Coordinates of all heavy atoms in Angstrom, one line a residue:
M623 N 10.0 -10.8 -34.4 CA 9.5 -9.7 -33.6 C 8.7 -10.1 -32.4 O 8.9 -9.5 -31.4 CB 8.7 -8.7 -34.6 CG 8.4 -7.4 -34.0 SD 9.9 -6.5 -33.8 CE 9.3 -4.9 -33.9
A624 N 7.8 -11.0 -32.6 CA 6.9 -11.5 -31.5 C 7.8 -12.2 -30.4 O 7.5 -12.0 -29.2 CB 5.9 -12.5 -32.0
N625 N 8.9 -12.8 -30.8 CA 9.8 -13.4 -29.9 C 10.5 -12.4 -29.1 O 10.7 -12.6 -27.8 CB 10.8 -14.3 -30.6 CG 11.6 -15.2 -29.7 OD1 11.1 -15.5 -28.7 ND2 12.8 -15.7 -30.1
L626 N 10.9 -11.3 -29.7 CA 11.5 -10.2 -28.9 C 10.6 -9.6 -27.9 O 10.9 -9.3 -26.8 CB 11.9 -9.1 -29.9 CG 12.6 -7.8 -29.3 CD1 13.9 -8.2 -28.5 CD2 12.9 -6.8 -30.4
E627 N 9.3 -9.4 -28.3 CA 8.3 -8.8 -27.4 C 8.0 -9.8 -26.3 O 7.9 -9.3 -25.1 CB 7.0 -8.5 -28.2 CG 7.1 -7.4 -29.1 CD 5.8 -7.1 -29.9 OE1 4.8 -7.8 -29.6 OE2 5.8 -6.3 -30.8
A628 N 8.0 -11.1 -26.6 CA 7.7 -12.0 -25.5 C 8.9 -12.0 -24.5 O 8.7 -12.1 -23.3 CB 7.6 -13.4 -26.1
H629 N 10.1 -11.9 -25.0 CA 11.3 -11.8 -24.2 C 11.3 -10.6 -23.3 O 11.6 -10.6 -22.1 CB 12.6 -11.8 -25.1 CG 13.9 -11.8 -24.3 ND1 14.3 -12.8 -23.5 CD2 14.7 -10.8 -24.2 CE1 15.4 -12.4 -22.9 NE2 15.7 -11.2 -23.3
Q630 N 10.9 -9.5 -23.9 CA 10.8 -8.2 -23.1 C 9.7 -8.3 -22.0 O 10.0 -7.8 -20.9 CB 10.5 -7.0 -24.0 CG 11.7 -6.6 -24.9 CD 11.3 -5.6 -26.0 OE1 10.2 -5.4 -26.3 NE2 12.3 -4.8 -26.4
V631 N 8.6 -8.9 -22.3 CA 7.6 -9.1 -21.3 C 8.1 -10.0 -20.2 O 7.9 -9.7 -19.0 CB 6.3 -9.7 -21.9 CG1 5.3 -10.1 -20.9 CG2 5.7 -8.6 -22.9
A632 N 8.8 -11.1 -20.5 CA 9.3 -11.9 -19.5 C 10.4 -11.3 -18.7 O 10.4 -11.5 -17.4 CB 10.0 -13.2 -20.2
E633 N 11.2 -10.4 -19.3 CA 12.2 -9.6 -18.4 C 11.5 -8.7 -17.5 O 11.9 -8.5 -16.4 CB 13.1 -8.9 -19.4 CG 14.2 -9.8 -20.0 CD 15.2 -9.0 -20.8 OE1 15.0 -7.8 -21.0 OE2 16.3 -9.6 -21.2
A634 N 10.4 -8.0 -18.0 CA 9.7 -7.0 -17.2 C 9.1 -7.7 -16.0 O 9.1 -7.2 -14.9 CB 8.7 -6.3 -18.0
R635 N 8.5 -8.9 -16.3 CA 7.9 -9.7 -15.1 C 8.9 -10.1 -14.1 O 8.7 -10.0 -12.9 CB 7.1 -10.9 -15.7 CG 5.8 -10.6 -16.3 CD 5.0 -11.8 -16.6 NE 3.8 -11.4 -17.2 CZ 3.2 -12.0 -18.3 NH1 3.9 -13.0 -18.9 NH2 2.1 -11.6 -18.8
E636 N 10.1 -10.5 -14.6 CA 11.2 -11.0 -13.7 C 11.6 -9.8 -12.9 O 11.9 -9.9 -11.7 CB 12.3 -11.6 -14.5 CG 13.5 -12.0 -13.7 CD 13.2 -13.1 -12.6 OE1 12.1 -13.9 -12.8 OE2 13.9 -13.3 -11.7
C637 N 11.8 -8.6 -13.5 CA 12.3 -7.4 -12.8 C 11.3 -7.1 -11.7 O 11.6 -6.8 -10.6 CB 12.4 -6.3 -13.8 SG 13.0 -4.8 -13.1
L638 N 10.0 -7.1 -12.1 CA 8.9 -6.7 -11.1 C 9.0 -7.8 -9.9 O 8.8 -7.4 -8.8 CB 7.5 -6.7 -11.7 CG 6.4 -6.4 -10.8 CD1 6.6 -5.0 -10.1 CD2 5.1 -6.4 -11.5
H639 N 9.1 -9.0 -10.3 CA 9.2 -10.1 -9.2 C 10.4 -9.8 -8.3 O 10.2 -9.9 -7.1 CB 9.3 -11.5 -9.9 CG 9.5 -12.5 -8.9 ND1 8.4 -13.0 -8.1 CD2 10.5 -13.3 -8.5 CE1 8.8 -14.0 -7.3 NE2 10.1 -14.2 -7.6
I640 N 11.5 -9.4 -8.8 CA 12.7 -9.1 -8.0 C 12.4 -7.9 -7.1 O 12.7 -7.9 -5.9 CB 14.0 -8.9 -8.9 CG1 14.4 -10.3 -9.5 CG2 15.1 -8.3 -8.1 CD1 15.4 -10.2 -10.6
L641 N 11.9 -6.9 -7.7 CA 11.6 -5.6 -6.9 C 10.5 -5.9 -5.8 O 10.6 -5.4 -4.7 CB 11.1 -4.5 -7.9 CG 12.2 -4.0 -8.8 CD1 11.6 -3.0 -9.8 CD2 13.3 -3.3 -8.0
L642 N 9.6 -6.8 -6.1 CA 8.6 -7.2 -5.1 C 9.2 -7.9 -4.0 O 8.9 -7.7 -2.8 CB 7.5 -8.0 -5.7 CG 6.3 -8.3 -4.8 CD1 5.7 -7.0 -4.3 CD2 5.2 -9.2 -5.5
E643 N 10.2 -8.8 -4.3 CA 10.9 -9.5 -3.2 C 11.7 -8.5 -2.3 O 11.6 -8.6 -1.1 CB 11.9 -10.6 -3.8 CG 11.1 -11.8 -4.3 CD 12.1 -12.9 -4.8 OE1 13.3 -12.7 -4.7 OE2 11.6 -13.8 -5.4
I644 N 12.4 -7.6 -3.0 CA 13.1 -6.6 -2.2 C 12.2 -5.8 -1.4 O 12.4 -5.5 -0.2 CB 13.9 -5.6 -3.2 CG1 15.0 -6.4 -3.9 CG2 14.5 -4.4 -2.4 CD1 15.7 -5.7 -5.0
S645 N 11.0 -5.4 -2.0 CA 10.0 -4.6 -1.2 C 9.5 -5.4 0.0 O 9.4 -4.8 1.1 CB 8.8 -4.3 -2.2 OG 7.8 -3.7 -1.5
E646 N 9.4 -6.6 -0.1 CA 8.9 -7.5 1.0 C 10.0 -7.6 2.1 O 9.7 -7.6 3.3 CB 8.5 -8.9 0.5 CG 7.2 -8.8 -0.3 CD 6.8 -10.1 -1.0 OE1 7.6 -11.1 -0.9 OE2 5.7 -10.2 -1.5
M647 N 11.3 -7.7 1.6 CA 12.4 -7.9 2.6 C 12.5 -6.5 3.3 O 12.9 -6.6 4.5 CB 13.7 -8.1 1.8 CG 13.8 -9.5 1.4 SD 15.5 -9.8 0.8 CE 15.2 -10.1 -0.9
L648 N 12.2 -5.4 2.7 CA 12.2 -4.1 3.4 C 10.9 -3.8 4.1 O 10.9 -2.7 4.8 CB 12.5 -3.0 2.4 CG 13.9 -3.1 1.7 CD1 14.0 -2.1 0.6 CD2 15.1 -3.0 2.7
H649 N 10.0 -4.7 4.2 CA 8.7 -4.5 4.8 C 8.0 -3.2 4.5 O 7.5 -2.4 5.3 CB 8.9 -4.6 6.4 CG 9.5 -5.8 6.8 ND1 8.9 -7.0 6.8 CD2 10.8 -6.1 7.3 CE1 9.7 -8.0 7.3 NE2 10.9 -7.4 7.6
T650 N 8.0 -2.9 3.2 CA 7.3 -1.7 2.7 C 5.8 -1.7 2.8 O 5.2 -0.7 2.9 CB 7.7 -1.4 1.2 OG1 7.2 -2.4 0.4 CG2 9.2 -1.3 1.0
G651 N 5.2 -2.9 2.7 CA 3.8 -3.0 2.8 C 3.2 -2.8 1.4 O 1.9 -2.7 1.4
L652 N 3.9 -2.7 0.4 CA 3.4 -2.4 -1.0 C 3.0 -3.7 -1.6 O 3.7 -4.6 -1.7 CB 4.4 -1.7 -1.8 CG 4.9 -0.3 -1.4 CD1 6.0 0.2 -2.3 CD2 3.8 0.7 -1.3
D653 N 1.7 -3.7 -2.1 CA 1.3 -4.9 -2.9 C 1.8 -4.8 -4.3 O 2.3 -3.7 -4.7 CB -0.2 -5.0 -2.8 CG -0.9 -3.8 -3.4 OD1 -0.8 -3.6 -4.7 OD2 -1.5 -2.9 -2.7
P654 N 1.7 -5.8 -5.1 CA 2.3 -5.8 -6.4 C 1.7 -4.7 -7.3 O 2.5 -4.0 -8.1 CB 1.9 -7.2 -7.0 CG 1.8 -8.0 -5.8 CD 1.2 -7.2 -4.7
E655 N 0.5 -4.4 -7.2 CA -0.2 -3.4 -8.0 C 0.4 -2.0 -7.6 O 0.7 -1.2 -8.5 CB -1.7 -3.4 -7.9 CG -2.4 -2.4 -8.8 CD -3.9 -2.4 -8.6 OE1 -4.4 -3.3 -7.9 OE2 -4.5 -1.5 -9.3
T656 N 0.5 -1.7 -6.4 CA 1.0 -0.4 -5.9 C 2.5 -0.3 -6.3 O 2.9 0.8 -6.8 CB 0.8 -0.3 -4.4 OG1 -0.5 -0.5 -4.1 CG2 1.3 1.1 -3.9
L657 N 3.3 -1.3 -6.1 CA 4.7 -1.3 -6.5 C 4.8 -1.0 -8.0 O 5.6 -0.2 -8.4 CB 5.4 -2.6 -6.1 CG 6.9 -2.6 -6.4 CD1 7.6 -1.6 -5.7 CD2 7.4 -4.0 -6.1
S658 N 4.0 -1.7 -8.8 CA 4.0 -1.5 -10.2 C 3.7 -0.1 -10.6 O 4.3 0.5 -11.5 CB 3.1 -2.5 -10.9 OG 3.1 -2.3 -12.3
T659 N 2.7 0.5 -9.9 CA 2.3 1.9 -10.2 C 3.5 2.8 -9.8 O 3.8 3.7 -10.6 CB 1.1 2.3 -9.4 OG1 0.0 1.4 -9.7 CG2 0.7 3.7 -9.6
C660 N 4.1 2.6 -8.7 CA 5.3 3.4 -8.3 C 6.4 3.3 -9.3 O 7.0 4.3 -9.7 CB 5.8 3.0 -6.9 SG 4.7 3.4 -5.5
I661 N 6.6 2.1 -9.8 CA 7.7 1.9 -10.8 C 7.4 2.8 -12.1 O 8.2 3.5 -12.6 CB 7.9 0.4 -11.1 CG1 8.5 -0.2 -9.9 CG2 8.8 0.3 -12.4 CD1 8.4 -1.8 -10.0
R662 N 6.1 2.6 -12.5 CA 5.7 3.4 -13.7 C 5.8 4.9 -13.5 O 6.2 5.6 -14.4 CB 4.3 3.0 -14.1 CG 4.2 1.8 -14.9 CD 2.9 1.4 -15.5 NE 2.4 0.4 -14.5 CZ 1.2 0.4 -14.0 NH1 0.3 1.4 -14.2 NH2 0.7 -0.6 -13.1
L663 N 5.5 5.4 -12.3 CA 5.6 6.8 -12.0 C 7.1 7.3 -12.1 O 7.3 8.3 -12.7 CB 5.0 7.2 -10.6 CG 3.4 7.1 -10.6 CD1 3.0 7.2 -9.1 CD2 2.9 8.2 -11.4
I664 N 7.9 6.5 -11.5 CA 9.4 6.8 -11.5 C 9.9 6.8 -13.0 O 10.6 7.6 -13.4 CB 10.2 5.8 -10.6 CG1 9.8 6.1 -9.2 CG2 11.6 6.0 -10.8 CD1 10.2 5.1 -8.2
Q665 N 9.4 5.8 -13.8 CA 9.8 5.8 -15.2 C 9.4 6.9 -16.0 O 10.0 7.4 -16.9 CB 9.3 4.4 -15.8 CG 10.0 3.2 -15.3 CD 9.4 1.9 -15.9 OE1 8.2 1.9 -16.2 NE2 10.2 0.9 -15.9
C666 N 8.3 7.6 -15.5 CA 7.7 8.7 -16.2 C 8.4 10.0 -15.7 O 8.0 11.1 -16.1 CB 6.2 8.8 -16.0 SG 5.3 7.6 -16.9
G667 N 9.3 9.9 -14.7 CA 10.1 11.1 -14.3 C 9.7 11.6 -12.9 O 10.3 12.6 -12.5
V668 N 8.8 10.9 -12.2 CA 8.5 11.4 -10.8 C 9.8 11.2 -9.9 O 10.4 10.1 -10.0 CB 7.3 10.6 -10.2 CG1 7.1 10.8 -8.8 CG2 6.1 10.9 -11.0
N669 N 10.0 12.1 -9.1 CA 11.2 12.0 -8.2 C 10.9 10.9 -7.2 O 9.9 10.9 -6.4 CB 11.3 13.4 -7.4 CG 12.5 13.4 -6.5 OD1 12.6 12.4 -5.7 ND2 13.3 14.4 -6.5
P670 N 11.8 9.9 -7.1 CA 11.6 8.7 -6.2 C 11.5 9.1 -4.7 O 10.7 8.5 -4.0 CB 12.8 7.8 -6.5 CG 13.3 8.3 -7.8 CD 13.0 9.7 -7.9
E671 N 12.2 10.1 -4.3 CA 12.2 10.5 -2.9 C 10.9 11.2 -2.6 O 10.3 10.9 -1.5 CB 13.4 11.4 -2.6 CG 14.7 10.7 -2.6 CD 15.9 11.6 -2.3 OE1 15.7 12.7 -1.8 OE2 17.0 11.1 -2.5
A672 N 10.4 12.0 -3.5 CA 9.1 12.7 -3.3 C 8.0 11.6 -3.3 O 7.1 11.7 -2.4 CB 8.9 13.7 -4.4
L673 N 8.1 10.6 -4.1 CA 7.1 9.6 -4.2 C 7.1 8.8 -2.9 O 6.0 8.5 -2.4 CB 7.3 8.6 -5.4 CG 6.4 7.5 -5.6 CD1 4.9 8.0 -5.8 CD2 6.8 6.7 -6.8
A674 N 8.3 8.5 -2.4 CA 8.4 7.7 -1.1 C 7.8 8.5 0.0 O 7.0 7.9 0.8 CB 9.8 7.5 -0.8
R675 N 7.9 9.8 0.0 CA 7.3 10.7 1.1 C 5.8 10.6 1.0 O 5.1 10.6 2.0 CB 7.9 12.1 1.0 CG 9.3 12.2 1.6 CD 9.7 13.7 1.8 NE 9.8 14.4 0.5 CZ 10.8 14.5 -0.2 NH1 11.9 13.9 0.1 NH2 10.8 15.2 -1.4
V676 N 5.3 10.7 -0.2 CA 3.8 10.7 -0.5 C 3.3 9.3 0.0 O 2.2 9.3 0.6 CB 3.5 10.9 -2.0 CG1 2.1 10.7 -2.3 CG2 3.9 12.4 -2.3
V677 N 4.0 8.2 -0.4 CA 3.5 6.9 0.0 C 3.5 6.8 1.5 O 2.5 6.3 2.1 CB 4.3 5.8 -0.6 CG1 4.0 4.4 0.0 CG2 4.1 5.8 -2.1
I678 N 4.5 7.3 2.2 CA 4.6 7.2 3.7 C 3.4 8.1 4.3 O 2.8 7.6 5.2 CB 5.9 7.7 4.2 CG1 7.1 6.7 3.8 CG2 5.9 8.0 5.6 CD1 8.5 7.1 4.0
E679 N 3.2 9.2 3.7 CA 2.1 10.1 4.2 C 0.7 9.4 4.0 O -0.1 9.5 4.9 CB 2.2 11.5 3.6 CG 1.2 12.4 4.2 CD 1.4 12.6 5.7 OE1 2.5 12.6 6.2 OE2 0.3 12.8 6.4
I680 N 0.5 8.8 2.9 CA -0.7 8.1 2.6 C -1.0 7.0 3.6 O -2.0 6.8 4.2 CB -0.8 7.6 1.2 CG1 -1.0 8.8 0.2 CG2 -2.0 6.6 1.0 CD1 -0.8 8.5 -1.2
K681 N 0.1 6.2 3.8 CA 0.0 5.1 4.8 C -0.3 5.6 6.2 O -1.1 5.1 6.9 CB 1.3 4.3 4.8 CG 1.5 3.5 3.6 CD 2.9 2.8 3.7 CE 2.8 1.4 3.4 NZ 4.1 0.7 3.6
R682 N 0.3 6.7 6.6 CA 0.1 7.4 7.9 C -1.4 7.8 8.0 O -2.0 7.5 9.0 CB 1.0 8.5 8.1 CG 1.6 8.6 9.4 CD 2.5 9.8 9.6 NE 3.9 9.3 9.5 CZ 4.9 9.9 8.8 NH1 4.6 11.1 8.2 NH2 6.0 9.4 8.8
S683 N -1.9 8.4 7.0 CA -3.3 8.9 7.0 C -4.2 7.8 7.0 O -5.2 7.8 7.8 CB -3.5 9.7 5.7 OG -2.7 10.9 5.7
V684 N -4.0 6.7 6.3 CA -4.9 5.5 6.3 C -4.9 4.9 7.7 O -5.9 4.6 8.2 CB -4.4 4.5 5.2 CG1 -5.1 3.2 5.4 CG2 -4.7 5.0 3.8
A685 N -3.7 4.8 8.3 CA -3.6 4.3 9.7 C -4.4 5.1 10.7 O -5.1 4.6 11.5 CB -2.2 4.2 10.1
E686 N -4.3 6.4 10.5 CA -5.1 7.3 11.4 C -6.6 7.2 11.2 O -7.4 7.1 12.2 CB -4.7 8.8 11.2 CG -3.3 9.1 11.7 CD -2.9 10.5 11.4 OE1 -3.8 11.4 10.9 OE2 -1.7 10.8 11.5
I687 N -7.0 7.1 10.0 CA -8.4 6.9 9.7 C -9.0 5.5 10.2 O -10.0 5.5 10.9 CB -8.7 6.9 8.1 CG1 -8.5 8.3 7.7 CG2 -10.1 6.5 7.8 CD1 -8.4 8.5 6.1
K688 N -8.2 4.5 10.1 CA -8.6 3.2 10.7 C -8.6 3.2 12.1 O -9.6 2.7 12.7 CB -7.6 2.1 10.2 CG -7.7 1.7 8.7 CD -6.8 0.6 8.4 CE -6.9 0.1 7.0 NZ -6.0 -1.0 6.6
K689 N -7.7 3.9 12.7 CA -7.7 4.0 14.2 C -9.0 4.8 14.7 O -9.6 4.4 15.6 CB -6.4 4.7 14.7 CG -6.4 4.8 16.2 CD -5.1 5.4 16.7 CE -5.1 5.6 18.2 NZ -4.0 6.4 18.6
S690 N -9.3 5.9 14.0 CA -10.4 6.7 14.3 C -11.8 5.9 14.1 O -12.6 6.0 15.0 CB -10.5 8.0 13.4 OG -11.6 8.7 13.7
E691 N -11.8 5.1 13.1 CA -13.0 4.3 12.8 C -13.2 3.3 13.9 O -14.2 3.0 14.4 CB -12.9 3.6 11.5 CG -13.1 4.6 10.3 CD -12.9 4.0 9.0 OE1 -12.4 2.9 8.9 OE2 -13.3 4.6 8.0
E692 N -12.0 2.6 14.4 CA -12.0 1.7 15.4 C -12.5 2.3 16.7 O -13.3 1.7 17.5 CB -10.7 1.0 15.6 CG -10.3 0.1 14.4 CD -8.9 -0.4 14.5 OE1 -8.2 0.0 15.5 OE2 -8.5 -1.1 13.6
E693 N -12.0 3.5 17.0 CA -12.4 4.2 18.2 C -13.9 4.5 18.2 O -14.6 4.4 19.2 CB -11.5 5.4 18.4 CG -10.1 5.1 18.8 CD -9.2 6.3 18.8 OE1 -9.7 7.4 18.3 OE2 -8.1 6.2 19.2
D694 N -14.4 4.9 17.0 CA -15.8 5.2 16.9 C -16.7 4.0 17.1 O -17.7 4.0 17.8 CB -16.1 5.7 15.5 CG -15.7 7.2 15.2 OD1 -15.3 7.8 16.2 OD2 -15.6 7.6 14.1
V695 N -16.2 2.8 16.6 CA -17.0 1.6 16.8 C -17.0 1.2 18.3 O -18.0 0.9 18.9 CB -16.3 0.4 16.0 CG1 -16.9 -0.9 16.4 CG2 -16.6 0.6 14.5
I696 N -15.8 1.3 19.0 CA -15.7 1.0 20.4 C -16.6 2.0 21.2 O -17.3 1.5 22.1 CB -14.2 1.1 20.9 CG1 -13.4 -0.1 20.3 CG2 -14.2 1.1 22.4 CD1 -12.0 0.0 20.5
G697 N -16.6 3.2 20.8 CA -17.4 4.3 21.5 C -18.9 3.9 21.3 O -19.7 4.0 22.3
R698 N -19.3 3.6 20.2 CA -20.7 3.2 20.0 C -21.1 2.0 20.7 O -22.2 1.9 21.3 CB -21.0 3.0 18.5 CG -21.1 4.3 17.7 CD -21.6 4.1 16.3 NE -20.6 3.2 15.6 CZ -19.9 3.6 14.6 NH1 -20.1 4.7 14.0 NH2 -19.0 2.8 14.0
E699 N -20.2 1.0 20.8 CA -20.5 -0.2 21.5 C -20.6 0.0 23.0 O -21.4 -0.5 23.7 CB -19.4 -1.3 21.2 CG -19.4 -1.9 19.9 CD -18.3 -2.8 19.6 OE1 -17.3 -2.8 20.4 OE2 -18.3 -3.4 18.5
T700 N -19.8 0.9 23.5 CA -19.8 1.3 24.9 C -21.1 2.0 25.2 O -21.7 1.7 26.2 CB -18.6 2.2 25.3 OG1 -17.4 1.5 24.9 CG2 -18.6 2.5 26.8
V701 N -21.5 2.9 24.4 CA -22.8 3.7 24.5 C -23.9 2.7 24.5 O -24.8 2.7 25.4 CB -22.9 4.8 23.5 CG1 -24.3 5.4 23.5 CG2 -21.9 5.9 23.7
E702 N -24.0 1.8 23.6 CA -25.0 0.8 23.5 C -25.1 -0.1 24.7 O -26.2 -0.3 25.2 CB -24.8 0.0 22.2 CG -26.0 -0.8 21.8 CD -27.3 0.0 21.5 OE1 -27.1 1.2 20.9 OE2 -28.3 -0.4 21.8
K703 N -23.9 -0.5 25.2 CA -23.9 -1.4 26.4 C -24.4 -0.6 27.6 O -25.2 -1.2 28.4 CB -22.5 -1.9 26.6 CG -22.3 -2.8 27.8 CD -20.9 -3.3 28.0 CE -20.7 -4.3 29.0 NZ -21.2 -4.0 30.3
T704 N -24.0 0.7 27.7 CA -24.5 1.4 28.8 C -26.0 1.6 28.8 O -26.7 1.5 29.8 CB -23.8 2.8 28.8 OG1 -22.4 2.7 28.8 CG2 -24.2 3.7 30.0
R705 N -26.5 1.8 27.6 CA -28.0 2.0 27.5 C -28.7 0.7 27.8 O -29.8 0.7 28.5 CB -28.4 2.3 26.0 CG -28.1 3.7 25.6 CD -28.5 4.0 24.2 NE -28.1 5.4 23.8 CZ -28.0 5.8 22.6 NH1 -28.3 4.9 21.6 NH2 -27.6 7.0 22.3
N706 N -28.1 -0.4 27.4 CA -28.8 -1.7 27.7 C -28.7 -2.1 29.2 O -29.5 -2.9 29.7 CB -28.1 -2.8 26.9 CG -28.4 -2.7 25.4 OD1 -29.4 -2.1 25.0 ND2 -27.6 -3.3 24.6
D707 N -27.7 -1.6 29.9 CA -27.5 -1.8 31.3 C -28.6 -1.1 32.1 O -28.9 -1.5 33.2 CB -26.1 -1.4 31.8 CG -25.1 -2.4 31.3 OD1 -25.4 -3.4 30.8 OD2 -23.8 -2.0 31.4
Y708 N -29.2 0.0 31.6 CA -30.2 0.7 32.3 C -31.6 0.4 32.0 O -32.1 -0.1 31.2 CB -30.0 2.2 32.2 CG -28.8 2.7 32.9 CD1 -27.6 3.0 32.1 CD2 -28.7 2.8 34.3 CE1 -26.5 3.5 32.8 CE2 -27.6 3.3 34.9 CZ -26.5 3.6 34.2 OH -25.4 4.0 34.8

């Protein structure tokens, strides 16, 4: 029985490794943990297309937040530089 479980674990790891390679070839930007979570969600019945749309929207939102934060930093640096010039 333990041998069967070890074999199943090895197969699951190999499957995840293959899916991670495919993910990297497609430039999805998903790390192993996120990919594993997506796989589990799909196995639980989540619609893969809906999940893909959610992941895309989250990535878009994160990019917008990062851009906004960078602009805030640049704005603060500009204000500080202007203050120091006077």
Side-chain angles (χ1 to χ4, degrees):
M623 192 66 153
N625 193 23
L626 177 61
E627 289 177 10
H629 179 69
Q630 289 173 333
V631 168
E633 281 186 352
R635 283 189 180 136
E636 179 63 19
C637 182
L638 180 60
H639 178 73
I640 290 168
L641 290 173
L642 185 57
E643 286 183 7
I644 292 170
S645 175
E646 289 171 356
M647 283 188 248
L648 296 173
H649 304 288
T650 65
L652 298 177
D653 60 71
E655 183 180 355
T656 304
L657 179 62
S658 181
T659 300
C660 289
I661 292 168
R662 278 185 259 132
L663 287 168
I664 292 168
Q665 289 172 334
C666 289
V668 171
N669 180 312
E671 291 178 14
L673 180 59
R675 286 192 295 273
V676 168
V677 169
I678 289 168
E679 185 57 35
I680 290 171
K681 287 175 131 185
R682 222 179 260 140
S683 296
V684 168
E686 288 175 12
I687 290 169
K688 285 182 179 179
K689 182 180 178 186
S690 176
E691 288 174 347
E692 289 171 1
E693 289 172 352
D694 287 347
V695 168
I696 291 170
R698 283 188 299 243
E699 288 173 350
T700 302
V701 167
E702 193 63 34
K703 184 178 182 306
T704 303
R705 286 182 185 161
N706 290 338
D707 288 346
Y708 290 104

